[in-house]
PDB file of all heavy atoms in Angstrom:
ATOM      1  N   GLY A 245     -44.189 -27.665 -23.749  1.00  0.00           N
ATOM      2  CA  GLY A 245     -44.700 -28.982 -24.105  1.00  0.00           C
ATOM      3  C   GLY A 245     -46.159 -28.949 -24.508  1.00  0.00           C
ATOM      4  O   GLY A 245     -46.579 -29.631 -25.458  1.00  0.00           O
ATOM      5  N   VAL A 246     -46.952 -28.149 -23.793  1.00  0.00           N
ATOM      6  CA  VAL A 246     -48.373 -28.018 -24.114  1.00  0.00           C
ATOM      7  C   VAL A 246     -48.554 -27.420 -25.510  1.00  0.00           C
ATOM      8  O   VAL A 246     -49.404 -27.884 -26.292  1.00  0.00           O
ATOM      9  CB  VAL A 246     -49.086 -27.159 -23.051  1.00  0.00           C
ATOM     10  CG1 VAL A 246     -50.478 -26.746 -23.525  1.00  0.00           C
ATOM     11  CG2 VAL A 246     -49.188 -27.920 -21.735  1.00  0.00           C
ATOM     12  N   LEU A 247     -47.779 -26.406 -25.833  1.00  0.00           N
ATOM     13  CA  LEU A 247     -47.892 -25.771 -27.153  1.00  0.00           C
ATOM     14  C   LEU A 247     -47.630 -26.773 -28.269  1.00  0.00           C
ATOM     15  O   LEU A 247     -48.336 -26.797 -29.287  1.00  0.00           O
ATOM     16  CB  LEU A 247     -46.916 -24.593 -27.256  1.00  0.00           C
ATOM     17  CG  LEU A 247     -47.265 -23.349 -26.436  1.00  0.00           C
ATOM     18  CD1 LEU A 247     -46.125 -22.335 -26.514  1.00  0.00           C
ATOM     19  CD2 LEU A 247     -48.559 -22.716 -26.934  1.00  0.00           C
ATOM     20  N   ARG A 248     -46.626 -27.621 -28.087  1.00  0.00           N
ATOM     21  CA  ARG A 248     -46.341 -28.615 -29.119  1.00  0.00           C
ATOM     22  C   ARG A 248     -47.490 -29.620 -29.250  1.00  0.00           C
ATOM     23  O   ARG A 248     -47.897 -29.973 -30.363  1.00  0.00           O
ATOM     24  CB  ARG A 248     -45.045 -29.354 -28.806  1.00  0.00           C
ATOM     25  CG  ARG A 248     -44.745 -30.426 -29.854  1.00  0.00           C
ATOM     26  CD  ARG A 248     -43.520 -31.235 -29.548  1.00  0.00           C
ATOM     27  NE  ARG A 248     -43.412 -32.362 -30.466  1.00  0.00           N
ATOM     28  CZ  ARG A 248     -42.492 -33.312 -30.382  1.00  0.00           C
ATOM     29  NH1 ARG A 248     -41.598 -33.266 -29.407  1.00  0.00           N
ATOM     30  NH2 ARG A 248     -42.463 -34.303 -31.240  1.00  0.00           N
ATOM     31  N   ALA A 249     -48.021 -30.081 -28.108  1.00  0.00           N
ATOM     32  CA  ALA A 249     -49.114 -31.050 -28.138  1.00  0.00           C
ATOM     33  C   ALA A 249     -50.346 -30.460 -28.831  1.00  0.00           C
ATOM     34  O   ALA A 249     -51.007 -31.140 -29.634  1.00  0.00           O
ATOM     35  CB  ALA A 249     -49.454 -31.492 -26.724  1.00  0.00           C
ATOM     36  N   LEU A 250     -50.662 -29.202 -28.532  1.00  0.00           N
ATOM     37  CA  LEU A 250     -51.815 -28.556 -29.152  1.00  0.00           C
ATOM     38  C   LEU A 250     -51.605 -28.395 -30.659  1.00  0.00           C
ATOM     39  O   LEU A 250     -52.522 -28.610 -31.462  1.00  0.00           O
ATOM     40  CB  LEU A 250     -52.075 -27.200 -28.498  1.00  0.00           C
ATOM     41  CG  LEU A 250     -52.571 -27.242 -27.046  1.00  0.00           C
ATOM     42  CD1 LEU A 250     -52.545 -25.851 -26.434  1.00  0.00           C
ATOM     43  CD2 LEU A 250     -53.988 -27.818 -26.968  1.00  0.00           C
ATOM     44  N   HIS A 251     -50.383 -28.030 -31.038  1.00  0.00           N
ATOM     45  CA  HIS A 251     -50.070 -27.863 -32.458  1.00  0.00           C
ATOM     46  C   HIS A 251     -50.252 -29.189 -33.203  1.00  0.00           C
ATOM     47  O   HIS A 251     -50.860 -29.236 -34.285  1.00  0.00           O
ATOM     48  CB  HIS A 251     -48.644 -27.356 -32.615  1.00  0.00           C
ATOM     49  CG  HIS A 251     -48.171 -27.329 -34.041  1.00  0.00           C
ATOM     50  ND1 HIS A 251     -48.598 -26.383 -34.949  1.00  0.00           N
ATOM     51  CD2 HIS A 251     -47.304 -28.149 -34.717  1.00  0.00           C
ATOM     52  CE1 HIS A 251     -48.022 -26.617 -36.124  1.00  0.00           C
ATOM     53  NE2 HIS A 251     -47.240 -27.677 -36.006  1.00  0.00           N
ATOM     54  N   GLU A 252     -49.735 -30.263 -32.633  1.00  0.00           N
ATOM     55  CA  GLU A 252     -49.836 -31.568 -33.292  1.00  0.00           C
ATOM     56  C   GLU A 252     -51.279 -32.065 -33.368  1.00  0.00           C
ATOM     57  O   GLU A 252     -51.638 -32.824 -34.284  1.00  0.00           O
ATOM     58  CB  GLU A 252     -48.960 -32.588 -32.569  1.00  0.00           C
ATOM     59  CG  GLU A 252     -47.466 -32.320 -32.729  1.00  0.00           C
ATOM     60  CD  GLU A 252     -46.598 -33.369 -32.062  1.00  0.00           C
ATOM     61  OE1 GLU A 252     -47.156 -34.260 -31.374  1.00  0.00           O
ATOM     62  OE2 GLU A 252     -45.366 -33.301 -32.213  1.00  0.00           O
ATOM     63  N   ALA A 253     -52.109 -31.614 -32.415  1.00  0.00           N
ATOM     64  CA  ALA A 253     -53.513 -32.022 -32.414  1.00  0.00           C
ATOM     65  C   ALA A 253     -54.376 -31.133 -33.305  1.00  0.00           C
ATOM     66  O   ALA A 253     -55.585 -31.353 -33.414  1.00  0.00           O
ATOM     67  CB  ALA A 253     -54.057 -32.003 -30.987  1.00  0.00           C
ATOM     68  N   GLY A 254     -53.745 -30.107 -33.914  1.00  0.00           N
ATOM     69  CA  GLY A 254     -54.495 -29.208 -34.776  1.00  0.00           C
ATOM     70  C   GLY A 254     -55.313 -28.170 -34.029  1.00  0.00           C
ATOM     71  O   GLY A 254     -56.195 -27.538 -34.617  1.00  0.00           O
ATOM     72  N   ARG A 255     -55.004 -27.960 -32.722  1.00  0.00           N
ATOM     73  CA  ARG A 255     -55.708 -26.931 -31.936  1.00  0.00           C
ATOM     74  C   ARG A 255     -54.934 -25.625 -32.050  1.00  0.00           C
ATOM     75  O   ARG A 255     -53.762 -25.542 -31.691  1.00  0.00           O
ATOM     76  CB  ARG A 255     -55.817 -27.341 -30.457  1.00  0.00           C
ATOM     77  CG  ARG A 255     -56.502 -28.677 -30.173  1.00  0.00           C
ATOM     78  CD  ARG A 255     -57.986 -28.636 -30.465  1.00  0.00           C
ATOM     79  NE  ARG A 255     -58.706 -27.610 -29.732  1.00  0.00           N
ATOM     80  CZ  ARG A 255     -59.128 -27.740 -28.462  1.00  0.00           C
ATOM     81  NH1 ARG A 255     -58.877 -28.859 -27.785  1.00  0.00           N
ATOM     82  NH2 ARG A 255     -59.814 -26.768 -27.883  1.00  0.00           N
ATOM     83  N   ARG A 256     -55.588 -24.602 -32.564  1.00  0.00           N
ATOM     84  CA  ARG A 256     -54.910 -23.339 -32.855  1.00  0.00           C
ATOM     85  C   ARG A 256     -54.659 -22.554 -31.568  1.00  0.00           C
ATOM     86  O   ARG A 256     -55.548 -22.394 -30.735  1.00  0.00           O
ATOM     87  CB  ARG A 256     -55.770 -22.517 -33.815  1.00  0.00           C
ATOM     88  CG  ARG A 256     -55.106 -21.251 -34.355  1.00  0.00           C
ATOM     89  CD  ARG A 256     -55.798 -20.816 -35.639  1.00  0.00           C
ATOM     90  NE  ARG A 256     -57.243 -20.751 -35.442  1.00  0.00           N
ATOM     91  CZ  ARG A 256     -57.893 -19.662 -35.033  1.00  0.00           C
ATOM     92  NH1 ARG A 256     -57.214 -18.569 -34.759  1.00  0.00           N
ATOM     93  NH2 ARG A 256     -59.196 -19.673 -34.905  1.00  0.00           N
ATOM     94  N   VAL A 257     -53.426 -22.055 -31.411  1.00  0.00           N
ATOM     95  CA  VAL A 257     -53.030 -21.213 -30.270  1.00  0.00           C
ATOM     96  C   VAL A 257     -52.465 -19.904 -30.811  1.00  0.00           C
ATOM     97  O   VAL A 257     -51.488 -19.907 -31.549  1.00  0.00           O
ATOM     98  CB  VAL A 257     -51.958 -21.912 -29.393  1.00  0.00           C
ATOM     99  CG1 VAL A 257     -51.577 -21.014 -28.221  1.00  0.00           C
ATOM    100  CG2 VAL A 257     -52.446 -23.259 -28.891  1.00  0.00           C
ATOM    101  N   PRO A 258     -53.083 -18.747 -30.437  1.00  0.00           N
ATOM    102  CA  PRO A 258     -54.330 -18.642 -29.672  1.00  0.00           C
ATOM    103  C   PRO A 258     -55.535 -18.808 -30.610  1.00  0.00           C
ATOM    104  O   PRO A 258     -55.366 -19.149 -31.762  1.00  0.00           O
ATOM    105  CB  PRO A 258     -54.253 -17.225 -29.114  1.00  0.00           C
ATOM    106  CG  PRO A 258     -53.552 -16.461 -30.204  1.00  0.00           C
ATOM    107  CD  PRO A 258     -52.541 -17.424 -30.800  1.00  0.00           C
ATOM    108  N   GLY A 259     -56.691 -18.521 -30.119  1.00  0.00           N
ATOM    109  CA  GLY A 259     -57.903 -18.690 -30.904  1.00  0.00           C
ATOM    110  C   GLY A 259     -58.722 -19.804 -30.307  1.00  0.00           C
ATOM    111  O   GLY A 259     -59.648 -19.566 -29.528  1.00  0.00           O
ATOM    112  N   GLU A 260     -58.366 -21.031 -30.606  1.00  0.00           N
ATOM    113  CA  GLU A 260     -59.073 -22.162 -30.003  1.00  0.00           C
ATOM    114  C   GLU A 260     -58.667 -22.357 -28.550  1.00  0.00           C
ATOM    115  O   GLU A 260     -59.496 -22.635 -27.680  1.00  0.00           O
ATOM    116  CB  GLU A 260     -58.784 -23.440 -30.788  1.00  0.00           C
ATOM    117  CG  GLU A 260     -59.497 -23.558 -32.120  1.00  0.00           C
ATOM    118  CD  GLU A 260     -59.257 -24.938 -32.715  1.00  0.00           C
ATOM    119  OE1 GLU A 260     -59.842 -25.913 -32.207  1.00  0.00           O
ATOM    120  OE2 GLU A 260     -58.471 -25.020 -33.673  1.00  0.00           O
ATOM    121  N   VAL A 261     -57.361 -22.261 -28.284  1.00  0.00           N
ATOM    122  CA  VAL A 261     -56.849 -22.460 -26.921  1.00  0.00           C
ATOM    123  C   VAL A 261     -55.830 -21.357 -26.618  1.00  0.00           C
ATOM    124  O   VAL A 261     -54.977 -21.047 -27.465  1.00  0.00           O
ATOM    125  CB  VAL A 261     -56.174 -23.838 -26.756  1.00  0.00           C
ATOM    126  CG1 VAL A 261     -55.736 -24.033 -25.299  1.00  0.00           C
ATOM    127  CG2 VAL A 261     -57.103 -24.968 -27.180  1.00  0.00           C
ATOM    128  N   SER A 262     -55.927 -20.779 -25.431  1.00  0.00           N
ATOM    129  CA  SER A 262     -54.939 -19.808 -24.961  1.00  0.00           C
ATOM    130  C   SER A 262     -54.069 -20.459 -23.892  1.00  0.00           C
ATOM    131  O   SER A 262     -54.560 -21.255 -23.086  1.00  0.00           O
ATOM    132  CB  SER A 262     -55.627 -18.571 -24.387  1.00  0.00           C
ATOM    133  OG  SER A 262     -56.255 -17.815 -25.410  1.00  0.00           O
TER     134      SER A 262
END
Side-chain angles (χ1 to χ4, degrees):
V246 167
L247 288 173
R248 178 183 171 185
L250 292 170
H251 172 74
E252 291 183 354
R255 303 291 303 278
R256 188 159 51 90
V257 180
E260 285 187 73
V261 184
S262 290

